[in-house]
Amino acid sequence: MKDKNKGDEALNLERTTVESSGKSVTIDRDDEEMKEKLNTLFKLRLLYNSGEELWQHIGKSGGGNNSFGRVGGKDAFLRRAVFHELEREWYDEMGISLGWLLESYVLAAGLMEKFRTLLEGEMRAGTYRECCMQIVNVCVFGDAVSDEYSAKKRELFHQLMEEDVCCLTVFLLILLGVLPPSVESRQGDVTGIKAQYEQVYKFFLGVCHRNILFIQMPRMTLFHKVLKEVEEKLTRIRLIKLTADVLSNLSVLASAELVAETGRREQWNQVYPELDGYWLGEHHSEQHPDYWRVEETVTGYVFYHYFQKETETGKIHQQEFSVNFFSNGEDYACVQHPRSVLQWLNNDKLSKDDITYPHFVFFGGDSPTKIAFESFMMDVSWFRPMQLTRAKDDWNPPTEKGMEVTNDFEAYSYTFYQELEAITPDFISVKDEKGKSYRVSVSEHEELRNCTLNDAIGIITWAGKRYIAFDHLMLYLPIES
């Protein structure tokens, strides 16, 4: 992204003098620009859904003698102070510069005007969503600009490719009809903002179907969570930020080389605290066991849940979940139901019912004594908010006392035998449990060129079927019997 934050630059105090009613009026050109920025924020309703909310936040009235429209005097200083303070507030809250956003808006609106005839044709034909999808395919996923497109559309794509993510975001949102098409908007206060969020979310669901990996992207689940909030919290600037984050995440995931280099979801800063061992649930007792066994794997953790139902004696139920922890300004976990293995192996889209993103808190540093899962980004019935406490070293699970254990998810159980045999410029070779070798041609799967000896590569066996697994790439190739 281009660095457009100009909040720290010195003000240019160049002035001009004009004659008005026989008097000289000194006009600060920078003050005129500042006035225009404030007016644009107001007209576009970027920060608040009504003009009155903005004025209340500033602490001034929008009209009369208190207006920021007057020239010179203390109001010039106040205008600069107000804009820079608003910019600081919103940068601290969501990491977006108002100056950069307004410049991007001007660029996007200019492109909308330049290609107005083309885009109006898309609107009349009812294919504007398809046009937005094509823009994402070209500018985010790096697809070639096909000769099948008209010359004007090819020119639009090439110009959008030259701009940064903020300009692209604003352009897409204007084309989707959720932002005003001009900085001189006269639309007034925002209404139906939640429906506009839902419209953008549904558009990205269509985009994410391109690849199984994109469906469970944390920014999309955060988007989903935001939709549940009250409408007053939904604003245009937040929609712009969410959209820009989704586009940025997609551009990272679209690069097979970068995914291979950073590893499975590593772009979201995966963390590996010392969690191996037993953990007691909040409702655990000797009479009714409710505990967890945590095991670190090559790609994250497996959390095995053991519990006894009140109506049963002598039997313990076992369930297991794949868990990965990430920290990138927000601490959250990716928890997958074991049935998600069916989607991975069949290269189907991952169901929202099979994945959830709780926030987590570790108590006790790199070797925690407590874990709290809370504030879920996506609600599911099979994994709920909870707090786990590490069991003492001498604690023994009741399974060692001869109690019967029932695996509730037996149908989804699989084995992963990790035995990488060789990596060459032409192929990658793995061995199974019996020592039989399998080769995969690199030329057939270009993303394999970045594989290393430290990657999770091996053989997965599930329901009698076997797959050569490149788990860090989420690539699973069926082995023909």
Side-chain angles (χ1 to χ4, degrees):
M1 292 182 183
K2 301 173 184 177
D3 185 4
K4 297 282 188 175
N5 189 352
K6 299 183 178 181
D8 296 329
E9 292 182 3
L11 289 172
N12 175 13
L13 297 179
E14 178 185 358
R15 297 174 182 272
T16 61
T17 301
V18 299
E19 296 296 326
S20 176
S21 301
K23 296 181 180 179
S24 294
V25 180
T26 302
I27 301 176
D28 187 333
R29 288 183 176 176
D30 277 353
D31 182 46
E32 289 297 303
E33 293 178 6
M34 192 61 67
K35 196 188 312 178
E36 184 178 349
K37 289 181 180 179
L38 287 168
N39 285 334
T40 301
L41 286 176
F42 176 81
K43 286 182 289 189
L44 292 176
R45 304 297 196 268
L46 287 177
L47 308 183
Y48 298 94
N49 292 330
S50 72
E52 185 60 28
E53 288 178 273
L54 176 60
W55 285 113
Q56 287 179 356
H57 182 74
I58 293 173
K60 289 182 70 69
S61 170
N65 292 332
N66 289 326
S67 170
F68 280 113
R70 290 188 298 155
V71 177
K74 292 183 179 180
D75 273 358
F77 171 80
L78 290 176
R79 277 187 285 270
R80 291 197 301 271
V82 166
F83 182 81
H84 291 311
E85 183 62 17
L86 287 173
E87 188 165 48
R88 184 197 64 78
E89 287 180 359
W90 288 95
Y91 189 85
D92 289 347
E93 181 168 335
M94 59 178 56
I96 189 168
S97 163
L98 293 185
W100 173 36
L101 174 55
L102 291 177
E103 289 183 27
S104 296
Y105 212 115
V106 170
L107 288 172
L111 289 173
M112 292 295 297
E113 179 60 28
K114 180 177 180 179
F115 294 92
R116 181 164 54 88
T117 303
L118 168 68
L119 298 173
E120 285 179 349
E122 297 284 344
M123 292 289 200
R124 286 194 297 270
T127 58
Y128 70 95
R129 286 177 61 87
E130 181 181 344
C131 182
C132 289
M133 192 78 73
Q134 293 167 351
I135 290 171
V136 172
N137 287 340
V138 170
C139 298
V140 177
F141 295 138
D143 288 2
V145 181
S146 171
D147 291 338
E148 296 178 0
Y149 299 130
S150 68
K152 200 66 175 176
K153 183 174 281 190
R154 293 200 301 270
E155 182 185 355
L156 170 63
F157 291 164
H158 285 300
Q159 291 207 16
L160 284 172
M161 290 166 65
E162 294 296 318
E163 301 300 339
D164 58 30
V165 68
C166 192
C167 179
L168 178 62
T169 297
V170 173
F171 188 91
L172 284 171
L173 293 179
I174 291 176
L175 191 53
L176 287 170
V178 297
L179 287 181
S182 168
V183 293
E184 298 299 327
S185 170
R186 294 292 187 271
Q187 290 184 3
D189 292 346
V190 181
T191 58
I193 186 73
K194 187 170 185 179
Q196 295 170 3
Y197 270 66
E198 290 172 345
Q199 179 183 345
V200 177
Y201 178 74
K202 289 177 181 177
F203 167 73
F204 277 118
L205 282 180
V207 170
C208 290
H209 286 165
R210 175 181 174 124
N211 188 305
I212 183 176
L213 177 60
F214 303 158
I215 296 294
Q216 48 93 43
M217 184 172 62
R219 286 299 170 189
M220 279 296 288
T221 56
L222 180 59
F223 207 139
H224 183 270
K225 177 177 180 289
V226 167
L227 291 176
K228 298 181 180 180
E229 298 183 355
V230 293
E231 187 164 342
E232 288 77 7
K233 294 182 179 180
L234 306 180
T235 58
R236 283 173 171 169
I237 191 171
R238 193 176 185 190
L239 179 58
I240 291 170
K241 181 63 165 60
L242 280 169
T243 302
D245 284 348
V246 170
L247 291 174
S248 295
N249 279 181
L250 287 173
S251 67
V252 171
L253 293 176
S255 168
E257 293 78 14
L258 188 54
V259 171
E261 176 186 343
T262 56
R264 189 180 188 181
R265 304 185 192 91
E266 185 58 27
Q267 65 276 6
W268 294 305
N269 302 317
Q270 190 167 353
V271 294
Y272 289 91
E274 175 54 55
L275 300 179
D276 282 1
Y278 288 102
W279 297 76
L280 305 182
E282 297 170 83
H283 305 294
H284 171 79
S285 68
E286 294 299 322
Q287 294 73 31
H288 295 287
D290 188 339
Y291 64 95
W292 298 72
R293 179 170 63 87
V294 180
E295 177 183 313
E296 184 172 337
T297 68
V298 291
T299 57
Y301 300 86
V302 177
F303 275 56
Y304 298 91
H305 186 201
Y306 298 88
F307 61 96
Q308 187 179 57
K309 296 181 179 180
E310 292 185 2
T311 57
E312 297 177 342
T313 58
K315 179 188 292 187
I316 285 184
H317 291 262
Q318 174 193 318
Q319 298 178 352
E320 62 186 77
F321 308 96
S322 171
V323 182
N324 300 83
F325 296 96
F326 306 95
S327 180
N328 67 342
E330 297 178 271
D331 294 332
Y332 56 87
C334 170
V335 183
Q336 293 184 51
H337 192 284
R339 64 173 166 249
S340 63
V341 68
L342 306 184
Q343 284 86 44
W344 291 124
L345 298 181
N346 293 323
N347 290 311
D348 293 332
K349 67 178 183 178
L350 188 59
S351 169
K352 291 187 296 182
D353 296 330
D354 295 342
I355 195 163
T356 189
Y357 293 94
H359 286 285
F360 69 84
V361 180
F362 292 137
F363 300 89
D366 293 335
S367 184
T369 56
K370 286 187 178 181
I371 308 173
F373 292 100
E374 56 191 29
S375 179
F376 280 42
M377 289 188 192
M378 189 170 287
D379 293 329
V380 294
S381 61
W382 44 267
F383 198 89
R384 306 305 302 164
M386 70 184 80
Q387 186 171 104
L388 305 179
T389 302
R390 190 186 291 272
K392 295 181 180 180
D393 292 340
D394 59 353
W395 185 81
N396 292 315
T399 52
E400 296 184 1
K401 301 176 183 179
M403 296 189 72
E404 178 187 356
V405 178
T406 299
N407 185 352
D408 291 346
F409 299 148
E410 180 66 33
Y412 310 119
S413 296
Y414 66 92
T415 61
F416 183 18
Y417 183 75
Q418 187 172 342
E419 186 64 39
L420 177 60
E421 184 177 28
I423 297 179
T424 77
D426 301 319
F427 64 84
I428 293 178
S429 176
V430 298
K431 283 185 177 181
D432 65 12
E433 302 90 329
K434 298 180 179 179
K436 183 177 179 179
S437 296
Y438 299 87
R439 288 186 177 186
V440 178
S441 172
V442 172
S443 63
E444 295 179 9
H445 302 277
E446 288 294 323
E447 61 267 43
L448 300 183
R449 295 191 184 279
N450 294 303
C451 288
T452 72
L453 296 174
N454 296 321
D455 294 331
I457 302 173
I459 304 292
I460 279 182
T461 302
W462 170 78
K465 301 178 182 178
R466 293 161 66 78
Y467 303 80
I468 302 173
F470 299 88
D471 208 45
H472 65 296
L473 295 174
M474 283 170 281
L475 174 65
Y476 307 95
L477 306 176
I479 298 175
E480 302 298 333
S481 57

